[in-house]
């Protein structure tokens, strides 16, 4: 099951890494100084989780003799996986790679992702893989804070002025279709669930709605009227298989440029 576990670690680690890179773009340009610091701290939490997950994935890949094409073989580290993979090798969900856009879009992404991550990490604390369970125990505490922060902002904007309500509703409507991918099952998730390594994604959907829907209601926002199955509406997906939007390529170009220009460089 090491190959399946490696794939799960890449999915979780890439979600955290790409989310961190997007949140980091708000440093010095957030709506207020306190929010500037808060988003930076959330980004650092995501980087910390990504390091633990990708380091573990790198160790498993090294043992298996696997390495990203650009790395040319050898030991696989967290840096190898962050800086030397191309977009088709990343396994993050599409939601995290979307541009920041309006501040309300970032807040909608934060609410939806943190609710999903908290539930997933809660489940993984009981994973049969002890190391993954230990990583999840640390990350779920941070996800709870991220969820609280996103919740407060959604309520503040949704139940605020007419303009803030309009923009928060538009953000929820824009991002909602991308949440379907979080709960899609495939052969990998089914094998992981059977082995006790990871949660079956669909089992988290009801709990996720139980968190998100009351927040939207308190914020006086309408929940987008569609089901969660792809057949019920537009449900962009493909990130778990390496099929991404064009936005990820631009993000990686900025994130990887220094490492690729100066291989092996250290601060």
């Amino acid at each position: 099951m090491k190959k399946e576990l490696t794939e799960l670690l890449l999915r979780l680690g890439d979600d955290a890494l790409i989310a961190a890179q997007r949140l980091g773009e708000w440093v010095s340009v957030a709506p207020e100084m306190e929010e500037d610091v808060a988003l930076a701290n959330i980004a650092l939490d995501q980087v910390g989780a990504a390091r633990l997950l990708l380091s573990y994935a790198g160790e498993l890949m090294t043992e298996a003799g696997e390495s990203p094409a650009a790395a040319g073989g050898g030991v696989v580290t967290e840096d190898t996986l962050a800086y030397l993979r191309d977009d088709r090798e990343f396994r993050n969900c599409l939601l995290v790679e979307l541009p920041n856009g309006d501040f309300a879009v970032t807040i909608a992404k934060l609410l939806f992702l943190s609710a999903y991550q908290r539930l997933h990490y809660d489940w993984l604390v009981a994973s049969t893989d002890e190391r993954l369970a230990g990583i999840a125990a640390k990350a779920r505490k941070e996800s709870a804070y991220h969820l609280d922060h996103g919740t407060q902002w959604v309520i503040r904007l949704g139940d605020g002025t007419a303009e803030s309500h309009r923009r928060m509703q538009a953000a929820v409507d824009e991002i909602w279709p991308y949440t379907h991918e979080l709960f899609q099952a495939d052969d990998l998730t089914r094998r992981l669930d059977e082995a006790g390594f990871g949660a079956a994604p669909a089992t988290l959907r009801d709990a996720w709605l139980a968190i998100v829907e009351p927040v939207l209601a308190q914020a006086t926002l309408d929940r987008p009227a569609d089901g969660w199955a792809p057949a019920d509406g537009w449900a962009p997906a493909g990130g778990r298989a390496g099929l991404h939007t064009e936005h990820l390529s631009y993000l990686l170009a900025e994130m990887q440029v220094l490492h690729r220009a100066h291989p092996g460089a250290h601060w």
Side-chain angles (χ1 to χ4, degrees):
M1 289 296 294
K2 285 189 176 180
K3 187 175 182 61
E4 288 82 357
L5 178 57
T6 301
E7 185 69 16
L8 174 63
L9 292 167
L10 289 177
R11 292 183 181 189
L12 294 170
D14 288 347
D15 281 353
L17 178 66
I18 301 304
Q21 181 69 14
R22 279 288 182 232
L23 288 169
E25 294 172 358
W26 279 106
V27 173
S28 79
V29 295
E32 54 191 35
M33 185 179 296
E34 186 175 347
E35 187 59 16
D36 198 298
V37 175
L39 292 180
N41 282 331
I42 293 173
L44 287 173
D45 288 343
Q46 295 280 19
V47 168
R51 291 190 65 182
L52 293 173
L53 292 161
L54 295 181
S55 291
Y56 190 12
E59 292 174 25
L60 294 176
M61 294 174 74
T62 299
E63 291 175 8
E66 300 174 356
S67 181
V75 176
V76 183
T77 68
E78 59 191 92
D79 287 343
T80 306
L81 295 173
Y83 298 127
L84 294 178
R85 282 184 295 162
D86 294 326
D87 57 347
R88 293 296 294 267
E89 296 175 287
F90 275 77
R91 294 293 180 263
N92 59 276
C93 61
L94 300 183
L95 184 151
V96 297
E97 69 193 47
L98 298 176
N100 286 330
D102 191 280
F103 179 67
V105 172
T106 292
I107 292 303
K109 290 196 294 181
L110 178 62
L111 173 67
F112 297 154
L113 178 68
S114 59
Y116 166 76
Q117 287 183 320
R118 204 207 74 183
L119 290 170
H120 206 163
Y121 288 139
D122 279 350
W123 194 98
L124 289 173
V125 167
S127 171
T128 53
D129 185 88
E130 292 185 1
R131 183 166 171 182
L132 177 56
I135 295 173
K138 178 180 184 300
R140 70 171 177 172
K141 297 176 183 176
E142 297 166 345
S143 294
Y145 162 71
H146 305 166
L147 176 58
D148 180 67
H149 192 78
T151 295
Q152 297 306 315
W153 264 110
V154 168
I155 295 172
R156 179 178 175 183
L157 295 176
D159 195 26
T161 66
E163 175 64 10
S164 70
H165 176 89
R166 181 189 67 77
R167 291 165 67 169
M168 194 66 242
Q169 182 67 63
V172 168
D173 292 342
E174 176 183 341
I175 299 303
W176 188 267
Y178 291 91
T179 65
H180 300 314
E181 185 183 23
L182 300 174
F183 307 101
Q184 287 184 338
D186 55 20
D187 289 341
L188 174 73
T189 60
R190 280 187 281 273
R191 291 196 297 272
L192 289 168
D193 180 46
E194 291 171 359
F197 279 179
T203 63
L204 302 177
R205 176 71 180 187
D206 288 344
W208 183 84
L209 287 172
I211 294 173
V212 169
E213 288 183 335
V215 176
L216 297 181
Q218 189 174 349
T220 71
L221 297 168
D222 295 327
R223 175 195 184 280
D226 62 5
W228 82 277
D232 293 332
W234 184 56
R240 302 307 191 195
L243 302 175
H244 297 280
T245 68
E246 63 177 354
H247 308 300
L248 182 63
S249 297
Y250 291 107
L251 181 150
L252 293 180
E254 182 173 347
M255 187 178 78
Q256 297 179 338
V257 62
L258 185 62
H259 189 91
R260 288 183 181 269
H262 304 281
H266 293 280
W267 291 106

